[in-house]
């Protein structure tokens, strides 16, 4: 068992240093952009921040799902998911630019706009800046609390496997519901309120599903990279990758189903308070982003992941997962920025720099957390059974 607790520290140390350099360079460019064009800085920053926060939230959801349901698919990725959830303190700090840039992002923070809109006046008890910041504080406290307890009890499995497992299952059952509610309201606050007169009851579910898909694609990418060396090279088999590929296929299908359902309901309803949200995204160049999402976020991954051989080939599966992650960023771009670029499709260099800058810092902290614990969940009954079957 000791061989399987070995952590490839040199590899993770190298990844940590490289991503930190990437983040530092990106932050320097962001600072230049903030002085040059503050409005554009906050718009691009929101895009990057939503992506990496969503990735961490998706990992939190997957972690609780694995504790609740079990399954070999979580054995190789559990420590990766846990390390991602331990980045919430960093993400709380990184929320500060959003907190300071509200007037550049949300029209409901402008008294003149509120005075001219009966809808904004009606929503003002909810859409006001002090309450907005208070809700954000509550979200982060909940997410950090769930992460802290899950990570603590998971580490205790090596000493008390059955007791820790029962506690993790109980917490995960209620925790998934809490996560769904908090992610729904955070998506309303941070994204839907960019157009405060629009609403959709499916939007929170679409956002949560997209975050889980992002987290899974990230976990697959990392576990494939680490599976080339011990301890994962002696544990991860084509069957494990096949299970991860099937799970990613399922989440791709659920995302497509929810996104199309929202479009179909709103388009067929053709209500004046709902349809403009899609009208903006079907003209002015934004329609091409929509076509890219249909082809590369749904159709192509769906067709590729139908292949059993592809799912069992770790390197090919990792490439599909990396492409899905990229499409998740494109989807956030399509969901977010048409409200901030009403004149049509527009791309600014800060839209590319912000995700790289935030991602570099986030990944550096992630790799630091990942190397602090064994890469396999020692004490887990599923791991013990898997090692027994393989003769390890």
């Amino acid at each position: 068992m000791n061989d399987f607790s070995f952590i490839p520290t040199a590899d993770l140390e190298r990844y940590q240093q490289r991503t930190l350099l990437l983040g530092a360079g990106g932050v320097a460019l962001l600072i230049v952009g903030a002085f040059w064009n503050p409005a554009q800085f906050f718009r691009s920053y929101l895009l990057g921040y939503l992506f990496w926060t969503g990735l961490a939230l998706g990992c939190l959801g997957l972690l609780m799902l694995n504790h609740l349901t079990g399954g070999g698919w979580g054995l190789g990725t559990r420590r990766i998911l846990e390390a991602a959830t331990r980045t919430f303190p960093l993400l709380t700090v990184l929320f500060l630019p959003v907190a300071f840039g509200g007037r550049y992002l949300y029209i409901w923070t402008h008294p003149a706009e509120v005075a001219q809109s009966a809808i904004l006046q009606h929503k003002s008890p909810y859409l006001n800046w002090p309450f907005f910041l208070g809700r954000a504080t509550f979200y982060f406290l909940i997410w950090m609390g769930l992460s802290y307890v899950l990570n603590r009890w998971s580490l205790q499995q090596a000493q008390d496997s059955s007791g820790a497992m029962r506690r993790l299952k109980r917490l995960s059952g209620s925790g998934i519901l809490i996560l769904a509610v908090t992610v729904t309201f955070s998506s309303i606050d941070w994204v839907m309120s960019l157009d405060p007169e629009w609403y959709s009851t499916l939007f929170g579910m679409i956002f949560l599903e997209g975050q889980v898909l992002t987290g899974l694609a990230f976990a697959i990418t990392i576990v494939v990279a680490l599976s080339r060396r011990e301890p994962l090279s002696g544990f991860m088999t084509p069957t494990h990758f096949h299970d991860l590929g099937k799970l990613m296929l399922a989440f791709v299908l659920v995302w497509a189903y929810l996104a199309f359902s929202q479009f179909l309901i709103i388009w067929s309803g053709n209500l004046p308070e709902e349809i403009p949200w899609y009208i903006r995204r079907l003209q002015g160049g934004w329609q091409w982003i929509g076509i890219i999402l249909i082809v590369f976020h749904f159709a192509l991954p769906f067709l590729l992941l139908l292949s059993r051989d592809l799912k069992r080939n770790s390197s090919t599966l990792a490439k599909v997962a990396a492409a899905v992650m990229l499409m998740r960023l494109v989807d956030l771009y399509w969901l977010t920025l048409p409200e901030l670029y009403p004149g049509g499709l527009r791309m600014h260099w800060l839209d590319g720099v912000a995700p790289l800058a935030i991602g570099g810092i986030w990944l550096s902290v992630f790799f630091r957390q990942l190397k602090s614990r064994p890469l396999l969940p020692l004490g887990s009954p599923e791991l013990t059974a898997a090692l027994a079957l393989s003769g390890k």
Side-chain angles (χ1 to χ4, degrees):
M1 179 69 71
N2 289 336
D3 291 340
F4 283 86
S5 65
F6 170 74
I7 303 173
T9 308
D11 290 345
L12 297 181
E13 187 74 31
R14 184 169 65 254
Y15 296 154
Q16 180 185 351
Q17 293 174 355
R18 291 178 178 177
T19 53
L20 182 59
L21 288 174
L22 174 66
V27 168
L29 291 174
L30 280 181
I31 293 173
V32 173
F35 281 102
W36 184 265
N37 190 339
Q40 182 61 54
F41 163 78
F42 287 112
R43 293 168 181 172
S44 301
Y45 187 92
L46 178 65
L47 172 67
Y49 182 78
L50 288 172
F51 178 79
W52 292 102
T53 303
L55 193 157
L57 288 169
C59 289
L60 179 59
L62 284 168
L63 179 62
M64 291 190 288
L65 180 64
N66 184 245
H67 285 312
L68 189 62
T69 64
W73 64 268
L75 292 177
T77 59
R78 187 174 301 172
R79 292 303 191 220
I80 296 171
L81 299 175
E82 289 175 348
T85 65
R86 294 197 297 274
T87 63
F88 281 118
L90 170 67
L91 292 169
T92 304
V93 174
L94 293 177
F95 183 76
L96 290 176
V98 179
F100 285 111
R103 65 189 181 93
Y104 293 101
L105 297 170
Y106 304 103
I107 63 171
W108 50 265
T109 61
H110 304 164
E113 296 286 347
V114 176
Q116 296 175 9
S117 172
I119 295 178
L120 293 186
Q121 292 173 25
H122 177 72
K123 294 183 177 182
S124 61
Y126 184 85
L127 290 180
N128 62 81
W129 202 243
F131 195 21
F132 176 92
L133 295 179
R135 291 194 301 273
T137 303
F138 175 74
Y139 303 148
F140 284 114
L141 288 175
I142 291 294
W143 298 336
M144 284 190 289
L146 285 172
S147 170
Y148 174 78
V149 177
L150 288 168
N151 278 274
R152 182 180 179 182
W153 288 351
S154 178
L155 199 59
Q156 291 174 355
Q157 270 193 327
Q159 290 76 37
D160 180 20
S161 61
S162 60
M165 184 177 179
R166 287 194 300 270
R167 293 195 300 270
L168 287 167
K169 280 183 177 292
R170 287 197 297 266
L171 176 60
S172 297
S174 57
I176 287 178
L177 296 177
I178 294 170
L179 181 67
V181 172
T182 52
V183 166
T184 295
F185 278 93
S186 66
S187 67
I188 292 171
D189 291 351
W190 301 346
V191 182
M192 190 187 295
S193 72
L194 291 169
D195 181 359
E197 298 187 356
W198 181 78
Y199 62 90
S200 168
T201 55
L202 273 175
F203 191 80
M205 286 300 299
I206 294 173
F207 222 78
L208 176 61
E209 164 60 25
Q211 290 174 343
V212 173
L213 180 56
T214 308
L216 179 61
F218 173 77
I220 291 173
T221 304
I222 298 298
V223 77
V224 169
L226 296 178
S227 66
R228 299 185 178 97
R229 298 195 182 185
E230 292 289 350
L232 293 185
S233 64
F235 175 78
M236 295 296 293
T237 65
T239 301
H240 290 110
F241 294 118
H242 188 219
D243 290 342
L244 290 169
K246 289 189 294 185
L247 193 61
M248 185 161 63
L249 172 61
F251 282 124
V252 166
L253 288 172
V254 173
W255 171 84
Y257 171 77
L258 292 173
F260 179 72
S261 296
Q262 177 180 267
F263 171 77
L264 182 63
I265 292 170
I266 291 178
W267 195 260
S268 60
N270 198 27
L271 298 177
E273 63 269 24
E274 295 179 351
I275 199 67
W277 193 87
Y278 274 108
I279 294 295
R280 280 190 293 273
R281 287 161 175 79
L282 295 176
Q283 60 186 10
W286 292 107
Q287 68 271 24
W288 299 112
I289 303 297
I291 293 172
I292 288 173
L293 289 172
I294 293 172
V295 174
F296 295 103
H297 195 320
F298 166 62
L300 188 58
F302 170 71
L303 293 174
L304 291 174
L305 291 172
L306 288 176
S307 168
R308 181 177 183 271
D309 292 338
L310 184 148
K311 292 194 289 285
R312 296 176 68 86
N313 187 313
S314 61
S315 60
T316 308
L317 181 64
K319 293 174 183 176
V320 176
V324 169
M325 283 186 64
L326 177 60
M327 287 299 102
R328 290 300 313 136
L329 181 61
V330 174
D331 184 45
L332 280 174
Y333 186 87
W334 191 77
L335 289 173
T336 305
L337 295 186
E339 312 304 330
L340 302 174
Y341 301 148
L345 178 61
R346 174 186 169 192
M347 304 202 58
H348 194 276
W349 61 272
L350 282 173
D351 294 335
V353 169
L356 290 176
I358 298 171
I361 301 299
W362 186 90
L363 286 169
S364 177
V365 174
F366 164 78
F367 285 121
R368 180 182 179 184
Q369 292 292 335
L370 186 60
K371 71 182 183 182
S372 66
R373 296 187 179 186
L375 283 179
L376 288 172
L378 305 181
S380 169
E382 295 97 333
L383 178 62
T384 304
L387 295 179
L389 287 174
S390 62
K392 299 290 184 181

